[in-house]
Structure formats: structure tokens, C-alpha cells
């Protein structure tokens, strides 16, 4: 998900939180309660164009205002969406989806197979410049389409009439059904895209929706908007909320005050607030399949130096960062892949791929490597700017990193630039940074969702780190070894170790976010991987 560039990530922001709740309850339990939920967001909403969305907040909004062939429910269970049924060929390379005939867009148009064909072609069209186009890897002819060698019409998706859709793969994809519940694969209304042109997805009014809710009140730059029940949604009888109001508060002090005054039903908490409120009945800690990390701009000569990269990594006390700065169960990173995401034979991937290099704290080694790195560069000192978000939490993280690095690496000066989330994403994507505090949330429960990011040609590899052996292993895990679970696992473990040993990036911590959610808010689905929130069947009880 989520970059958290998906932002991060989409997997991507530094302090997004919520609550995994089960049990939808009966209508009678909520019929006398005003069904309006007031939700806090830590950062602004960048876009509603699913072809260009990259971050957690955009994907949360798209996941609840749009719907794909399938829908991802509790515990990442795949459920029917616009497709009422599907079948898979014996060789696993062809999926045939039967679409429901009562699905409509918010403008009254029928949702058809052609809407999916149009959407997928638009996303993989090189002219669109979608950073998430790489997720279409495995769809027939996608590589040639992305390279401009074949037209988008060659993509392995075909509409057989209005309500039958066939997808052809070039290789087996173990996570294909999960992808069908991810916003990048949702349909788009061609009429709306062409009508709004460059304005499409830039404000609530420049969109049409086929999901449980539709958006109102978002101008493209404001910090308040709403999702209201979509009366054209095919399954509207199971949508209990009339409205969800979103309010951006980058200060946890502000959001907590609004929560206390009952203007918010949910708020994230700072480490200090979490300590004080841990016994509150509304307190919870949200676990995320998300890694926060530092990314170097390796177009700059100082960060092409491996010893400089390693010195920066060894100078950071991740345990202290996780426990004292973040708190609430946040874990020091063992590598780029988050703990608990995937297991094989009872062994967690993060443990299988762990190395002493890449994530250890060693002040003496850090100082020595930095000294050696500077000598190789022919310099006596180094200065760089650390780019990060402007939320309260992000500022604490960058301030801590600045202090650690300057204290442990003599001759280093770190300037900090905290900017709005949307700005940080843009600068990262355009290579306008020295070192950036990034984050990534897994798009689905598989290590490849992290490892894919750092291949040489991945659009999310903003730092441009490159390693031929790493690329070879990741490619093998998705091609020649895709059908061999053991070989595929070993490929990914080896790749992760290379990333750590070469210090391609600096993994920091796995975010677990403390928050408050009123105890009468029920039925919110939160998944650690993929899109974070599903409010389709959420409601407020008495």
C-alpha cells in the first residue's frame, strides 16, 4: 500500500492510525444513533486519480469510494466486489470474471467490463506515468506496453460483452486475487476521465464513484472532506454510515482536544499521550506491515559511497528510536520487510533475512566508516539535508535522527526540512532530496511488496540504488521460481540480505501507532497489509 510513499505505500505517511474491529451488529442496535463518523487524518489527501495515487490516504479514500472486481475484507479475506463470480483456468493463467449487472457509477452509468479495460490500459500507458504500473507485472504483454513496444490494447485484459471480463497472465501470480482488491486495479469511467481532463481526480467534483461512498467537500487542497453514502452502490443495504467526515490535524495535541470535545471519534496519539491514556477503554495500538526507512539520493557522489551509507546506518540507535521516540510497541527494523508479514515453515521472513549489517547500532564502527568514507571522497566533512513530513511525529523522528547523526559522526552536519506530505512525495519522486525519511506499507501479504521497490527500474526506487544480483534474485522470484515456493522464498531472503549488506536504504522501525477510537464505533476493518481501512459496514452503536 502503500507508499507510505504509498506512502507511503503505499504502502506511506508517518502517523496514520485506526482500529481493527469485528462484529457488524444488527441494524436495530444503531438505528437510533446518528450514523456520522468523524475521523482524523495526519496528512492531506494528494489525489483521487487511481492511476497516479501512491499513498495510504489516497488509497483509503479510493478503497471506500470505489470498488474493483474483488473486495478485501477482514484479515485480507477476498470477497466478491463488482465481480459476482470468477473462474480460473487449469494452468492458472486465465481468469474469467462475471460482473454483476446492477453495479452503477454515482452518475447512473452502468459499471461494465470495458470500464476495467479502460482503467488498466490508462494506468499502464507510459504517457500516464503511473508509479504503480509495476504491480501489473505478470499481466500478459505489460512489459512491452510499458516499454512502448506494444499498444495498450495488447494488455492481457479483454471485455467479452458488457459483463464478462477475461484477464490473461504471462506467469502465475500467487497474490493475483489480492491485487484485484487493490485500488490500482479498480475500474474508471472513461466518460468522466475525458470530461474532466487534467482536473480528473484533483477534487471531489471531478470524479465519479462506484463504491460504498462518494466524496464531497474536497477541493484538492483543503484539509476537510467527507465520504457520503452512495445511493447507486449495488450493495448499499450493507452500508450503515450516512457520512464520514475527515479532518486533517498534523498536531496530536489538536486532534486529541477535538476528540475530547467530541468533534472527532478517532485520533492518533503521541508517545507521551499514549503513556497517559493507555488505560482508556478507547485506547488501542494499531499494528502495521510498514517499514519507515531512510533513502539516499545516489545520484549524489557522497551517497554512492557505501561506507558513508553504512556509517549513517550504524550511527542510529533504532531501539531507542522505536521505544522512546515512537513507543506503543513500535519495533526496531530487522530489515526492509516488516515482521509478521509472511512465514514459511514457521519462520518469519524478517528473521530469515536478518543480518547484523544494515540495522545495527555501533557508534565506534559508524565513526570509523564515516572517516574512511570521507577520505575516499577527498573530503574532511559532509553536510546534507534530511527531508521529512511536517507532522508532529515526523518532526520528532527527524529531530532525533539529526541529533544521533551529528553526535556520532564527527564532521557531519544535518539540516532538516519538514514539509507537507504532498510536497515530500513530489520531491522524493523527482529526486529533489539528499536523504529522505520514507515509509512503505505492504500492498499485500508477501515480501515481494517491499523488495520490488528497490530493483533498478522500479518507479519507487527514488534513490536510484542499483545492484545486478539483487535485480536477478527479485526477477527469479517472480518468473522462473514463481511456482516453487521454497526457491522463491530463498530468492527473496537472499535479495533482502543484499539490500541490508549494501545499505541500499536504512530501515528504521516498524510502526505500531497508538490511537483512541470511541467504543461505540463498530465494524471498522483494518488490515496490516494492502489498503488500511474498509468502512463499508462500519456503524455507530448506542
Amino acid at each position: 500500500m502503500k507508499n507510505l510513499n504509498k506512502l507511503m505505500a503505499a504502502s506511506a505517511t508517518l502517523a496514520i492510525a485506526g482500529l481493527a474491529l469485528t462484529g457488524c451488529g444488527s441494524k436495530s442496535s444503531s438505528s437510533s444513533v446518528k450514523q456520522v463518523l468523524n475521523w482524523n487524518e495526519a496528512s492531506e489527501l494528494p489525489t483521487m486519480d487511481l492511476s497516479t495515487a501512491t499513498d495510504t490516504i489516497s488509497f483509503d479514500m479510493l478503497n471506500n469510494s470505489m470498488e474493483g472486481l474483488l473486495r478485501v475484507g477482514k484479515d485480507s479475506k477476498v470477497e466478491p466486489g463488482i465481480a459476482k463470480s470468477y473462474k480460473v483456468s487449469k494452468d492458472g493463467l486465465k481468469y474469467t470474471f462475471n460482473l454483476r449487472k446492477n453495479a452503477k457509477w454515482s452518475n447512473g452509468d452502468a459499471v461494465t467490463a470495458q470500464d476495467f479495460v479502460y482503467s488498466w490500459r490508462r494506468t499502464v500507458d507510459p504517457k500516464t506515468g503511473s508509479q504503480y504500473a509495476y504491480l501489473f507485472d505478470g499481466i500478459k504483454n505489460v512489459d512491452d506496453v510499458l516499454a512502448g513496444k506494444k499498444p495498450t490494447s495488447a494488455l492481457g485484459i479483454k471485455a467479452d460483452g458488457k459483463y464478462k471480463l477475461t484477464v490473461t497472465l504471462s506467469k502465475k501470480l500467487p497474490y493475483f486475487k489480492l491485487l484485484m482488491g487493490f485500488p490500482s486495479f479498480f475500474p474508471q469511467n472513461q466518460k468522466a476521465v475525458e470530461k474532466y481532463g487534467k482536473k480528473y481526480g484533483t477534487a471531489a467534483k471531478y470524479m465519479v464513484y462506484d463504491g460504498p461512498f462518494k466524496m464531497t467537500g474536497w477541493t484538492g487542497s483543503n484539509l476537510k472532506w467527507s465520504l457520503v453514502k452512495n445511493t447507486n452502490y449495488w450493495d448499499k443495504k450493507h452500508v450503515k454510515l450516512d457520512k464520514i467526515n475527515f479532518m486533517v490535524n498534523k498536531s496530536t495535541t489538536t486532534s486529541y482536544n477535538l476528540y475530547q470535545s467530541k468533534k472527532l471519534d478517532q485520533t492518533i496519539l503521541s508517545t507521551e499521550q499514549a503513556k497517559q491514556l493507555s488505560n482508556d477503554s478507547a485506547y488501542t495500538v494499531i499494528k502495521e506491515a510498514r517499514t519507515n526507512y531512510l533513502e539516499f539520493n545516489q545520484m549524489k557522489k557522497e551517497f554512492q559511497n557505501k561506507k558513508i551509507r553504512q556509517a549513517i546506518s550504524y550511527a542510529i540507535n533504532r531501539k531507542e528510536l522505536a521505544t522512546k521516540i515512537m513507543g506503543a510497541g513500535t519495533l526496531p527494523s530487522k530489515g526492509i520487510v516488516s515482521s509478521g508479514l509472511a512465514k514459511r515453515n514457521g519462520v518469519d521472513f524478517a528473521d530469515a533475512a536478518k543480518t547484523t549489517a544494515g540495522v545495527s547500532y555501533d557508534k565506534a564502527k559508524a565513526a570509523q566508516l564515516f572517516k574512511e568514507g570521507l577520505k575516499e571522497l577527498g573530503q574532511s566533512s559532509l553536510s546534507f539535508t534530511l527531508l521529512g513530513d511536517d507532522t508532529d511525529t515526523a518532526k520528532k523522528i527527524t529531530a532525533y535522527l539529526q541529533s544521533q547523526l551529528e553526535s556520532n559522526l564527527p564532521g557531519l552536519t544535518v539540516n532538516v526540512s519538514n514539509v507537507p506530505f504532498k510536497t515530500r512525495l513530489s520531491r522524493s519522486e523527482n529526486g529533489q532530496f539528499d536523504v529522505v525519511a520514507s515509509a512503505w506499507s505492504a500492498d499485500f501479504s508477501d515480501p515481494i511488496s517491499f523488495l520490488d521497490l528497490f530493483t533498478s527500474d522500479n518507479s519507487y526506487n527514488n534513490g536510484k540504488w542499483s545492484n545486478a544480483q539483487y535485480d536477478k534474485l527479485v526477477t527469479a522470484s517472480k518468473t522462473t521460481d514463481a511456482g516453487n515456493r521454497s526457491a522463491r522464498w530463498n530468492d527473496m531472503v537472499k535479495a533482502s540480505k543484499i539490500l541490508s549488506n549494501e545499505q541500499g536504504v536504512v530501515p528504521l522501525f516498524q510502526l505500531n501507532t497508538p490511537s483512541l477510537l470511541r467504543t461505540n464505533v463498530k465494524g471498522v476493518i483494518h488490515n496490516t497489509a494492502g489498503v488500511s481501512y474498509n468502512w463499508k459496514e462500519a456503524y455507530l452503536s448506542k
Side-chain angles (χ1 to χ4, degrees):
M1 153 264 161
K2 173 248 235 46
N3 170 303
L4 268 164
N5 284 332
K6 166 177 116 180
L7 201 322
M8 12 195 174
S11 220
T13 53
L14 292 174
I16 305 300
L19 185 62
L21 293 175
T22 59
C24 294
S26 63
K27 269 193 171 181
S28 60
S29 66
S30 59
S31 59
S32 61
V33 179
K34 188 177 181 181
Q35 293 302 305
V36 177
L37 177 63
N38 296 300
W39 200 269
N40 179 64
E41 291 288 2
S43 296
E44 59 272 25
L45 171 62
T47 185
M48 284 296 286
D49 183 344
L50 63 85
S51 286
T52 59
T54 64
D55 65 287
T56 300
I57 298 176
S58 295
F59 284 137
D60 276 343
M61 297 305 117
L62 288 165
N63 189 52
N64 288 276
S65 62
M66 305 284 278
E67 187 163 272
L69 294 165
L70 302 175
R71 190 168 189 83
V72 179
K74 182 177 178 291
D75 297 326
S76 295
K77 181 181 178 182
V78 175
E79 303 170 349
I82 300 299
K84 60 182 180 180
S85 64
Y86 64 91
K87 63 179 181 179
V88 188
S89 62
K90 289 183 179 180
D91 62 6
L93 297 179
K94 184 171 288 188
Y95 286 74
T96 303
F97 295 91
N98 297 303
L99 278 55
R100 55 185 82 250
K101 297 180 180 180
N102 61 334
K104 292 183 179 181
W105 292 98
S106 54
N107 65 358
D109 291 348
V111 180
T112 68
Q114 183 58 37
D115 292 327
F116 287 90
V117 174
Y118 172 76
S119 180
W120 289 25
R121 289 178 179 176
R122 179 174 182 263
T123 299
V124 302
D125 189 333
K127 294 178 182 178
T128 302
S130 171
Q131 286 190 276
Y132 257 89
Y134 80 93
L135 273 187
F136 287 74
D137 179 51
I139 309 297
K140 185 178 178 180
N141 292 328
V142 70
D143 291 339
D144 286 338
V145 172
L146 290 172
K149 296 177 180 179
K150 289 185 177 180
T152 58
S153 58
L155 190 68
I157 181 171
K158 179 184 177 184
D160 299 307
K162 291 182 68 174
Y163 301 108
K164 186 176 180 181
L165 185 71
T166 302
V167 177
T168 304
L169 308 181
S170 57
K171 59 190 176 186
K172 289 185 178 180
L173 294 177
Y175 43 82
F176 178 77
K177 288 185 285 186
L178 287 172
L179 290 179
M180 295 304 97
F182 193 75
S184 299
F185 295 86
F186 288 2
Q188 295 182 67
N189 184 297
Q190 183 175 358
K191 184 169 68 176
V193 176
E194 293 177 348
K195 175 183 178 181
Y196 298 128
K198 292 183 179 181
K199 292 182 178 180
Y200 177 75
T202 63
K205 64 182 180 179
Y206 301 130
M207 283 289 296
V208 291
Y209 311 91
D210 75 324
F213 302 93
K214 57 184 181 180
M215 182 173 284
T216 63
W218 180 57
T219 66
S221 59
N222 60 328
L223 302 182
K224 290 183 180 180
W225 64 86
S226 299
L227 291 180
V228 299
K229 185 173 181 177
N230 183 3
T231 55
N232 278 342
Y233 180 52
W234 70 270
D235 197 28
K236 61 184 178 182
K237 66 180 180 181
H238 286 116
V239 180
K240 301 178 178 66
L241 290 174
D242 294 317
K243 191 175 188 180
I244 310 173
N245 295 316
F246 296 89
M247 185 185 303
V248 175
N249 294 288
K250 299 180 181 183
S251 163
T252 55
T253 299
T254 300
S255 62
Y256 178 59
N257 288 338
L258 290 168
Y259 176 88
Q260 286 185 304
S261 62
K262 296 188 176 181
K263 292 180 180 179
L264 283 174
D265 296 309
Q266 176 266 354
T267 178
I268 57 175
L269 300 172
S270 67
T271 302
E272 294 76 16
Q273 289 171 329
K275 291 177 182 178
Q276 297 171 5
L277 297 165
S278 60
N279 292 323
D280 193 300
S281 60
Y283 178 82
T284 188
V285 176
I286 304 308
K287 295 182 179 180
E288 303 280 354
R290 180 172 123 177
T291 300
N292 283 61
Y293 59 95
L294 295 182
E295 192 165 15
F296 303 103
N297 186 342
Q298 297 193 33
M299 294 294 99
K300 298 178 181 291
K301 68 173 185 176
E302 55 265 41
F303 300 122
Q304 292 171 6
N305 187 289
K306 179 179 175 180
K307 289 180 180 178
I308 294 294
R309 302 196 303 269
Q310 289 179 318
I312 290 171
S313 181
Y314 277 114
I316 300 169
N317 187 335
R318 292 164 178 78
K319 183 177 180 180
E320 185 174 69
L321 173 58
T323 58
K324 294 186 178 181
I325 305 302
M326 300 304 296
T330 291
L331 304 172
S333 289
K334 297 177 180 179
I336 194 62
V337 178
S338 61
S339 297
L341 181 70
K343 289 185 178 182
R344 178 164 175 75
N345 298 327
V347 178
D348 191 289
F349 184 90
D351 292 322
K354 184 178 179 181
T355 65
T356 54
V359 291
S360 299
Y361 177 51
D362 188 327
K363 290 194 296 183
K365 192 168 186 176
Q368 182 61 34
L369 284 167
F370 191 65
K371 182 179 180 180
E372 293 174 3
L374 287 178
K375 185 176 181 180
E376 291 176 1
L377 291 170
Q379 300 175 198
S380 59
S381 63
L382 176 64
S383 175
F384 68 79
T385 298
L386 174 60
L387 179 66
D389 293 348
D390 64 352
T391 64
D392 281 357
T393 302
K395 288 178 180 178
K396 290 178 181 178
I397 293 169
T398 53
Y400 176 80
L401 293 173
Q402 180 186 41
S403 175
Q404 282 266 289
L405 295 175
E406 291 187 338
S407 297
N408 295 332
L409 300 176
L412 177 63
T413 300
V414 179
N415 302 303
V416 172
S417 176
N418 293 106
V419 299
F421 174 56
K422 200 171 181 178
T423 303
R424 196 262 301 164
L425 283 182
S426 176
R427 291 184 184 177
S428 296
E429 292 166 6
N430 294 317
Q432 298 173 341
F433 66 94
D434 296 331
V435 179
V436 59
S438 298
W440 185 264
S441 289
D443 295 321
F444 45 90
S445 299
D446 192 289
I448 202 66
S449 185
F450 283 99
L451 299 174
D452 231 353
L453 301 179
F454 306 106
T455 53
S456 299
D457 60 353
N458 192 285
S459 58
Y460 280 107
N461 187 356
N462 296 320
K464 306 304 179 186
W465 176 76
S466 181
N467 182 282
Q469 184 61 21
Y470 181 89
D471 291 349
K472 183 178 179 181
L473 288 164
V474 171
T475 298
S477 76
K478 300 193 295 180
T479 53
T480 54
D481 295 338
N484 185 325
R485 291 185 179 181
S486 178
R488 182 174 183 269
W489 178 270
N490 290 335
D491 290 336
M492 294 190 292
V493 167
K494 291 176 182 177
S496 184
K497 288 182 176 181
I498 288 174
L499 184 66
S500 293
N501 288 326
E502 293 298 314
Q503 208 70 68
V505 295
V506 178
L508 296 174
F509 59 84
Q510 181 174 344
L511 183 68
N512 288 326
T513 309
S515 71
L516 296 177
L517 182 69
R518 297 196 190 281
T519 55
N520 69 323
V521 179
K522 310 292 184 182
V524 178
I525 293 175
H526 174 273
N527 286 312
T528 58
V531 178
S532 296
Y533 291 106
N534 181 344
W535 291 290
K536 177 181 173 180
E537 296 188 22
Y539 69 96
L540 280 71
S541 66
K542 293 180 180 179

